[in-house]
Amino acid sequence: MKWTVQLSKAAGRQAGRGWAVAALASIPLVMTLGNSMLIPVLPAMERHLDITPLQSSLLITMYSVVAILFIPLAGYISDRIGRKMVIVPSLLLAAVGGGLAGWAAWRVSDPYGWMIAGRMLQGLGAAGAFPIVLPLVGDLFPDEEEASRCLGTVETANTFGKVLSPILGAMLAGIIWFFPFFSFPVFCLLSAAMMVWFIQVPARRERPLPFRDFIAVVAEIFRREGRWLIGVFVIGGLLMLVLFAFLFFLSSRLEDVYGIDGMRKGWVLAIPLGALCLASFAAGKAIGDRKQRMKWGAAAGSVLLAAALALVPLHSSLSVWLALFSVAGIGIGAALPCLDALITEGIEKSERGTVTSFYSSLRFIGVAAGPPLAAWLMKGGAGPLLFLLSGLALLGGALVVWLIRPEGEKGGRG
């Protein structure tokens, strides 16, 4: 009887952890839907709003620009008042921004400016949501291997959101082109409810630092760990730039060159993103708490990405393109969980909120820069854009090899 009670309690704890991981994973899923869902809809927006590709890309970029500016502040505040107290209001704020953008598209005669404002408000909410999940994982799961598995699940949810986004975005836009904006508040509210019900944050035992001391701590972190942190930050930003640039490029080419639009385009875009999702899940399982694996996984993923993108301009077949973009997705999916785990496992718990906020800012810079870069360069064809993206991926991989020195490697500290 005693054994049965203990088994029941253990099963209850396991189920509780499962729901907690699901709540955490819902946040990157929702934030990804809020941005990536628009990618297959951008050509339709250009027609309905009578705007240029560069202007449509700003609906992605402005979301990210605001997030970039406020992520470090959100990380600092989360260290002071708690992760959950930042995440839940941020999700609600993002919901309001999505509703504003949808309302403007529906009711305003010249809605573009209001839609940009709504997207900026969404970005402000995003700053306090997904970036705070990474340090919260470290707070909730002190065991390094368990934390790595959870981070793999979180990154998989992020990438699964990218798989689901083009399909869901195209499906909703097939009803009315601005429906994707109205769906976002629903997703945000569901995620916020899960956070409230299933996340029990450990009680804080230490007092938060005054701002002056906080600045001193940040300076000390970068003095002590700056070499490998810079490598992680840069490759994270480059990977997101490459991903959103080639998605923007592929979405436009599918419609303009191959005549594929609507739900069909959503399913086609989901192919390379599905490969990314599966690779992310596998990488999270494989790396465990082994920092050498994290380093070489990130480097190998970057090289694979570079090789695949360099081959795309040499072919005109859509099936070959999709195969190569899928290989590129595998490279990104292999690298991202490794970078997340390097930061979470390489930085003290009290410093994670600060460090991951800078890391998330660099990732959002990549998201912001990718679509405008693609809109500008693809006027000259596939070659200039994709060769540049390949070079950037290769540069990121080289920086990982050069700058990251895990413990046990000569000169290693991270």
Side-chain angles (χ1 to χ4, degrees):
M1 184 66 179
K2 183 178 180 181
W3 177 82
T4 305
V5 171
Q6 288 175 339
L7 183 62
S8 177
K9 288 181 178 179
R13 284 194 298 270
Q14 193 66 27
R17 285 177 176 249
W19 280 111
V21 171
L24 294 170
S26 74
I27 295 170
L29 174 62
V30 167
M31 291 299 110
T32 301
L33 288 174
N35 218 16
S36 301
M37 232 183 352
L38 299 185
I39 288 176
V41 190
L42 292 178
M45 290 185 183
E46 292 163 20
R47 293 192 297 271
H48 284 283
L49 300 174
D50 192 23
I51 56 177
T52 66
L54 181 60
Q55 286 177 302
S56 73
S57 73
L58 292 179
L59 288 166
I60 303 289
T61 297
M62 294 309 298
Y63 170 98
S64 303
V65 167
V66 173
I68 291 162
L69 296 175
F70 285 94
I71 283 171
L73 178 61
Y76 170 69
I77 294 173
S78 79
D79 283 339
R80 295 182 65 86
I81 68 173
R83 319 292 187 204
K84 187 174 176 179
M85 291 293 292
V86 172
I87 290 174
V88 173
S90 295
L91 287 169
L92 300 179
L93 186 61
V96 172
L100 175 60
W103 171 83
W106 177 34
R107 303 297 294 176
V108 177
S109 58
D110 186 14
Y112 181 72
W114 282 102
M115 292 171 70
I116 289 288
R119 292 290 291 162
M120 292 173 71
L121 200 58
Q122 274 186 265
L124 183 59
F130 180 35
I132 311 303
V133 170
L134 301 183
L136 182 55
V137 168
D139 295 345
L140 294 174
F141 301 99
D143 178 75
E144 290 190 356
E145 190 161 352
E146 191 174 13
S148 290
R149 285 197 299 269
C150 182
L151 285 170
T153 302
V154 167
E155 195 61 66
T156 300
N158 186 17
T159 54
F160 178 68
K162 292 180 175 64
V163 177
L164 184 60
S165 290
I167 300 170
L168 187 59
M171 182 182 72
L172 292 171
I175 302 171
I176 298 178
W177 67 271
F178 52 77
F179 257 30
F181 291 109
F182 282 120
S183 69
F184 185 64
V186 177
F187 300 141
C188 286
L189 293 174
L190 289 173
S191 183
M194 292 179 71
M195 282 294 299
V196 171
W197 289 334
F198 299 125
I199 298 296
Q200 301 297 323
V201 181
R204 295 179 61 92
R205 292 183 173 87
E206 68 278 359
R207 292 172 61 86
L209 291 173
F211 187 74
R212 182 178 296 179
D213 293 343
F214 165 75
I215 296 296
V217 166
V218 171
E220 172 59 22
I221 292 171
F222 281 92
R223 186 197 65 77
R224 187 181 72 241
E225 312 283 357
R227 179 188 174 96
W228 72 269
L229 280 178
I230 288 171
V232 172
F233 289 178
V234 170
I235 184 61
L238 288 175
L239 287 176
M240 299 311 291
L241 183 153
V242 171
L243 174 62
F244 274 79
F246 87 61
L247 286 176
F248 186 92
F249 166 81
L250 184 56
S251 176
S252 297
R253 284 295 189 269
L254 286 174
E255 196 157 327
D256 297 341
V257 176
Y258 297 100
I260 298 173
D261 57 9
M263 280 291 292
R264 288 177 62 218
K265 183 168 76 169
W267 283 105
V268 172
L269 287 173
I271 294 171
L273 291 169
L276 191 157
C277 180
L278 292 173
S280 179
F281 180 76
K285 294 287 186 184
I287 57 177
D289 59 353
R290 300 169 181 85
K291 292 181 182 177
Q292 287 282 353
R293 288 189 183 182
M294 297 172 194
K295 171 183 174 174
W296 293 109
S302 301
V303 172
L304 185 63
L305 169 64
L309 293 179
L311 293 173
V312 171
L314 306 180
H315 302 271
S316 58
S317 166
L318 178 59
S319 59
V320 174
W321 272 27
L322 290 177
L324 290 172
F325 279 126
S326 296
V327 173
I330 291 171
I332 296 175
L336 287 177
C338 298
L339 299 175
D340 294 348
L342 276 168
I343 285 188
T344 304
E345 304 305 332
I347 294 296
E348 293 295 327
K349 181 176 177 179
S350 61
E351 300 169 343
R352 283 176 190 151
T354 301
V355 173
T356 55
S357 69
F358 286 105
Y359 171 55
S360 297
S361 290
L362 264 293
R363 285 180 58 154
F364 269 98
I365 288 173
V367 174
L373 180 67
W376 177 49
L377 286 178
M378 69 186 191
K379 296 174 184 176
L385 172 64
L386 293 169
F387 287 139
L388 174 62
L389 297 181
S390 176
L392 292 176
L394 197 60
L395 171 63
L399 288 175
V400 169
V401 173
W402 177 42
L403 295 176
I404 298 176
R405 295 285 188 270
E407 294 172 5
E409 187 172 295
K410 186 177 180 181
R413 292 186 63 186

